[in-house]
Amino acid sequence: MRLLKVATCNLNQWAMDFDCNLKHIKDSITRAKEVGAVIRLGPELEITGYGCEDHFLELDTVNHAWECLKEILLGDWTDGILCSIGMPIIRGSERYNCQVLCFNRKIVMIRPKMWLANDGNYRELRWFTTWKQKDQLVEFQLPPEISEALSQTSVPFGYGYIQFLDTAVAAEICEELFTPNPPHTELALNGVEVFLNASGSHHQLRKLDLRLRAFIGATHTRGGVYMYSNHQGCDGARLYYDGCSCVVVNGEVVAQGSQFSLKDVEVVVAQVDLDAVASLRGSISSFQEQASCKTKVSSVAVPYNICKPFNLKMLLSSPQKIMYHSPEEEIAFGPGCWLWDYLRRSGASGFLLPLSGGADSSSVAAIVGCMCQLVVKEIANGDEQVKADAIRIGNYADGKFPTDSKEFAKRIFYTVYMGSENSSEATKTRAKVLADEIGSWHLDVCIDGVVSSLLSLFQTVTGKRPRYKVDGGSNVENLGLQNIQARIRMVLAFMLASLLPWVHNKKGFYLVLGSSNVDEALRGYLTKYDCSAADINPIGSISKQDLRTFLRWAANHLGYSSLTEIEAAPPTAELEPIRSNYSQLDEVDMGMTYEELSVYGRLRKIFRCGPVSMFKNLCYKWGATLTPSEVADKVKHFFKYYSINRHKMTVLTPSYHAESYSPEDNRFDLRQFLYNARWPYQFRKMDELVQEMNGDRVAFKETGEDGGTAAGGGGMGVVAAASGDPKAGF
């Protein structure tokens, strides 16, 4: 037997905080050595943090990474252990995303990334170059200060593997695993038995299974030990990296780290038998045949044994059941951990949430409550870093610290119900009950006086006073009156967030939390600069359907029973007067259901459908209940409002990324925000298809609502203001 103990890790790094990141790296190596591991794998770009973005273009970023690596190599951290450490490196005039493989205070080789992640949330080609010379390892001249400190002038650089006396080890960096022809295929045929995958993979609902299946598939038919390391936490932007570092042997998961955690460092250890890898490969005839005519991959020889012989005291890691969280748990724990990192690293003293008593803001409140529960739980488990952060943020004194989540919430969480004459007693009561269950410091504020003052000012300036539609007003008046209420709430929220800590003799400021969901953003069913405008938004990339399921789960599992009643209530903006024969409802205002919105969103983004291809797909999906003409009308209605409201994405609150059809403009969904909302060519094509499908040969009408020309599309502000959509205007 060739026994090998390996360690991989989840690290909560912070982009550009080199002290923080270096501390976590050293801590993880120390823990790995303490348990006898001889290989330690860290996440991609762990020295700098993954999310540095255009800071990667600065020479300082690369120089500081070298300085940190030098500090690691000059100490005893790499003595007797192979450490794979991620950092950016400049070779000549090119910048590479690299794994630096270190052993016994020397750099053994540098492995640059060959295939970069460059879609969705990722822009690696903006900062890095792909390594294209696969046929050889080249010599890389180390920077003078590094060379002098290590007494090492150059190091092999490129695609290759490390050949120890008793096994071979190679790196495969993040995206490379998911390419059509991943490196591990060729490396396995060259005898590599241990694969090191350093990654920067973000959380997305229901995504983890895809990742784990890739690890399992990599070794199921080829054999091997596949080690995976990932970041975990918010490193400074919209993404939450969801850890789940693991070790897979011959297609079986033998060790798995947490997906959501407040820990800064988590080390996952496994002890494996490499003879099991050799045995599997030797039993597969096709593997041996292909290995006999393989393309040779370059290697670096290290004359050292890293395996141990048979020893009954060294227990092998056994296959285990993979741990998956339900989508409801993912919504609770992912954004909850993201909020904690944002809170403790921003310098803020807490959160303020406009709590309307509706599903969206109640979901945000429940997530903050979950965050408080996680903090208290980690402190009880002995996490000193979480304890220190909680004491500082909660302003505890005399050796006290959080022991009760409701008491902690009272210190760091304000909720405020900003009611108007159009608000119902039911939503007001629901907001108060939920606030009491969570423990937040709750305010009930009436905004009618401010609204009246603004309308009086408007009347003084113009001589006119707008009326609601139910009172005989026009669509323009109705929309304007609703937007006034919404925007007053934004201004009031930021005022309270900045001044309430002062009122209560607390230090610092509070972050305002947004509560618009991904479907509302997609449809534009929000007022620009209302309570959707906030500092951060934990649910901005979560669908309404998932949030309602989460509310039912949270009522039972987080102890907030009032969420059951909140989930059952029909969604309403409560911006228009309530009458005996009229009550404002979101889905009626939008002209579509939230379920339909999710369908439109997935077809638009994930399946890359324009109006015509969306129409064709929906004819199949909805054809049993709707005619082609009805499907076409729904698609046109969606694209009209998507277009006239796209401009709102330019100011959308930075949102936790959780859904693959998010319309978020700044990173994920890069499209224009000025459209011809009539889509004349596309809608005309749809009408032609409808006529063909209905057997109607009537001549196609070139003008009208679906006609027009691109030049005559009209300004989006005019279209939005005239739409009658309560949340459509600027």
Side-chain angles (χ1 to χ4, degrees):
M1 299 181 78
R2 291 175 296 144
L3 302 181
L4 186 71
K5 182 168 280 191
V6 298
T8 183
C9 52
N10 296 331
L11 296 188
N12 193 335
Q13 306 297 74
W14 190 0
M16 300 301 291
D17 188 338
F18 293 92
D19 285 338
C20 163
N21 299 343
L22 182 59
K23 178 179 180 296
H24 295 166
I25 293 169
K26 289 179 176 178
D27 189 8
S28 68
I29 297 174
T30 299
R31 295 190 197 183
K33 293 178 70 173
E34 285 174 349
V35 297
V38 292
I39 298 178
R40 175 270 179 195
L41 172 64
E44 185 177 14
L45 296 168
E46 60 184 313
I47 292 182
T48 59
Y50 184 84
C52 295
E53 299 185 321
D54 281 359
H55 286 294
F56 284 126
L57 303 178
E58 300 166 4
L59 290 178
D60 279 2
T61 304
V62 179
N63 291 337
H64 296 331
W66 276 115
E67 291 162 0
C68 292
L69 181 66
K70 181 176 73 171
E71 185 171 333
I72 292 171
L73 289 170
L74 289 179
D76 62 356
W77 283 281
T78 62
D79 288 356
I81 184 170
L82 176 69
C83 292
S84 178
I85 300 173
M87 61 179 278
I89 288 177
I90 294 176
R91 179 181 178 272
S93 58
E94 306 105 43
R95 185 182 291 100
Y96 294 99
N97 175 350
C98 298
Q99 286 301 118
V100 183
L101 299 162
C102 307
F103 185 69
N104 284 347
R105 309 194 188 197
K106 298 290 183 182
I107 300 174
V108 177
M109 72 172 287
I110 297 174
R111 166 67 154 82
K113 195 171 181 178
M114 298 187 297
W115 307 112
L116 299 174
N118 206 58
D119 49 23
N121 285 297
Y122 299 99
R123 304 284 183 276
E124 288 184 11
L125 277 171
R126 180 180 176 93
W127 310 298
F128 300 110
T129 301
T130 57
W131 179 254
K132 302 175 182 69
Q133 301 178 43
K134 289 187 62 178
D135 58 338
Q136 62 177 333
L137 288 169
V138 301
E139 281 300 307
F140 173 76
Q141 191 72 31
L142 292 171
E145 63 276 14
I146 304 298
S147 176
E148 182 178 347
L150 303 181
S151 299
Q152 184 178 5
T153 57
S154 64
V155 59
F157 187 102
Y159 171 58
Y161 62 93
I162 299 175
Q163 182 65 64
F164 288 96
L165 294 177
D166 46 8
T167 190
V169 181
E172 180 174 67
I173 308 171
C174 196
E175 177 72 12
E176 294 174 350
L177 168 65
F178 303 98
T179 58
N181 184 22
H184 69 255
T185 302
E186 185 176 57
L187 290 167
L189 296 175
N190 275 265
V192 172
E193 295 179 308
V194 182
F195 303 94
L196 313 178
N197 189 308
S199 184
S201 186
H202 68 277
H203 172 240
Q204 193 167 287
L205 294 178
R206 306 173 180 89
K207 175 190 171 187
L208 180 60
D209 183 55
L210 296 176
R211 198 189 308 163
L212 283 169
R213 275 190 284 158
F215 308 146
I216 292 169
T219 59
H220 179 70
T221 57
R222 304 174 187 88
V225 176
Y226 205 95
M227 298 171 59
Y228 171 78
S229 176
N230 193 17
H231 294 269
Q232 185 175 65
C234 166
D235 77 346
R238 295 161 174 81
L239 302 184
Y240 176 81
Y241 301 95
D242 61 338
C244 203
S245 296
C246 59
V247 180
V248 179
V249 180
N250 292 351
E252 299 275 3
V253 176
V254 299
Q256 178 185 356
S258 65
Q259 188 176 10
F260 308 108
S261 173
L262 302 186
K263 293 183 175 69
D264 283 337
V265 178
E266 180 181 357
V267 176
V268 179
V269 180
Q271 186 150 276
V272 301
D273 176 17
L274 292 184
D275 280 355
V277 175
S279 176
L280 176 63
R281 290 177 175 178
S283 69
I284 303 172
S285 176
S286 59
F287 184 93
Q288 297 180 76
E289 289 297 320
Q290 291 186 352
S292 68
C293 58
K294 62 183 176 291
T295 300
K296 182 174 175 56
V297 177
S298 301
S299 63
V300 177
V302 177
Y304 195 91
N305 289 298
I306 59 173
C307 297
K308 301 294 183 183
F310 172 74
N311 186 338
L312 281 177
K313 295 181 180 179
M314 299 175 66
L315 300 178
L316 293 177
S317 299
S318 301
Q320 60 181 244
K321 184 179 180 181
I322 299 173
M323 170 61 188
Y324 290 113
H325 288 283
S326 68
E328 295 80 19
E329 290 173 326
E330 291 185 88
I331 292 172
F333 302 143
C337 293
W338 182 77
L339 283 177
W340 177 246
D341 277 345
Y342 209 102
L343 177 61
R344 70 189 180 113
R345 289 173 171 173
S346 67
S349 300
F351 297 119
L352 182 139
L353 172 68
L355 182 59
S356 70
D360 294 332
S361 61
S362 297
S363 295
V364 175
I367 290 169
V368 176
C370 178
M371 182 202 79
C372 294
Q373 293 181 17
L374 290 173
V375 168
V376 170
K377 181 180 178 180
E378 283 302 316
I379 292 173
N381 290 337
D383 193 310
E384 291 300 322
Q385 184 60 58
V386 174
K387 182 178 179 180
D389 288 331
I391 290 172
R392 173 179 54 83
I393 296 168
N395 198 26
Y396 288 88
D398 302 324
K400 295 182 179 179
F401 55 87
T403 57
D404 178 78
S405 63
K406 292 181 68 173
E407 185 275 335
F408 185 53
K410 182 75 71 176
R411 288 174 174 262
I412 61 105
F413 189 29
Y414 287 127
T415 52
V416 52
Y417 180 83
M418 293 182 273
S420 72
E421 61 182 358
N422 302 320
S423 303
S424 67
E425 192 64 33
T427 55
K428 177 180 176 180
T429 301
R430 289 198 292 262
K432 178 65 167 65
V433 172
L434 178 59
D436 289 342
E437 289 176 341
I438 293 171
S440 66
W441 201 94
H442 188 68
L443 277 173
D444 182 2
V445 178
C446 179
I447 66 172
D448 286 335
V450 185
V451 174
S452 179
S453 296
L454 284 173
L455 291 176
S456 296
L457 174 62
F458 181 84
Q459 188 172 13
T460 300
V461 172
T462 66
K464 292 187 175 183
R465 193 176 186 93
R467 295 178 297 169
Y468 288 103
K469 192 173 183 179
V470 295
D471 296 327
S474 65
N475 284 339
V476 173
E477 294 170 76
N478 196 64
L479 183 61
L481 286 171
Q482 294 181 71
N483 287 343
I484 288 171
Q485 298 167 74
R487 290 181 175 127
I488 284 172
R489 287 170 173 147
M490 181 204 71
V491 174
L492 181 59
F494 277 97
M495 183 183 77
L496 292 172
S498 62
L499 291 179
L500 277 179
W502 167 72
V503 170
H504 294 144
N505 296 314
K506 294 181 178 179
K507 297 178 182 178
F509 62 96
Y510 276 44
L511 294 167
V512 178
L513 297 179
S515 57
S516 59
N517 62 63
V518 70
D519 296 326
E520 290 176 345
L522 175 66
R523 165 61 170 72
Y525 189 66
L526 53 94
T527 303
K528 205 172 187 179
Y529 306 115
D530 70 345
C531 282
S532 63
D535 289 310
I536 51 175
N537 181 1
I539 67 165
S541 187
I542 303 175
S543 74
K544 189 79 164 189
Q545 290 176 287
D546 280 337
L547 287 174
R548 301 197 77 146
T549 306
F550 162 71
L551 288 174
R552 293 193 292 270
W553 176 88
N556 295 321
H557 293 83
L558 297 181
Y560 308 142
S561 59
S562 64
L563 294 176
T564 301
E565 182 181 348
I566 291 171
E567 188 277 328
T572 173
E574 289 197 335
L575 292 171
E576 292 184 79
I578 299 172
R579 297 287 188 265
S580 59
N581 62 345
Y582 178 76
S583 180
Q584 187 179 22
L585 297 174
D586 287 355
E587 292 183 329
V588 174
D589 283 345
M590 291 191 299
M592 60 190 73
T593 66
Y594 282 107
E595 183 179 0
E596 288 172 341
L597 260 175
S598 291
V599 174
Y600 298 143
R602 287 185 168 84
L603 288 173
R604 181 200 67 95
K605 177 66 177 174
I606 303 172
F607 296 98
R608 298 163 293 280
C609 287
V612 176
S613 55
M614 183 180 291
F615 163 74
K616 292 177 180 178
N617 276 274
L618 290 178
C619 280
Y620 286 112
K621 185 176 181 65
W622 293 342
T625 56
L626 297 175
T627 66
S629 180
E630 290 171 329
V631 173
D633 287 343
K634 284 180 174 290
V635 173
K636 291 176 184 177
H637 188 70
F638 165 70
F639 272 99
K640 173 185 174 182
Y641 282 98
Y642 166 77
S643 304
I644 66 177
N645 289 311
R646 176 65 185 174
H647 63 91
K648 296 177 183 179
M649 296 305 97
T650 64
V651 295
L652 191 69
T653 295
S655 302
Y656 179 98
H657 178 86
E659 183 56 77
S660 55
Y661 68 89
S662 170
E664 194 271 327
D665 174 68
N666 294 285
R667 294 290 187 278
F668 186 68
D669 191 29
L670 306 182
R671 301 169 197 246
Q672 73 267 37
F673 55 90
L674 181 61
Y675 284 90
N676 183 344
R678 295 179 176 86
W679 295 79
Y681 182 88
Q682 295 91 331
F683 286 6
R684 186 169 68 251
K685 286 291 183 183
M686 289 168 58
D687 287 339
E688 291 172 354
L689 286 168
V690 169
Q691 290 178 3
E692 291 176 12
M693 295 166 73
N694 290 337
D696 186 358
R697 302 303 179 188
V698 177
F700 179 68
K701 188 177 180 181
E702 294 289 340
T703 59
E705 172 65 17
D706 301 322
T709 64
M716 65 178 173
V718 176
V719 177
S723 67
D725 184 345
K727 294 188 178 182
F730 281 88

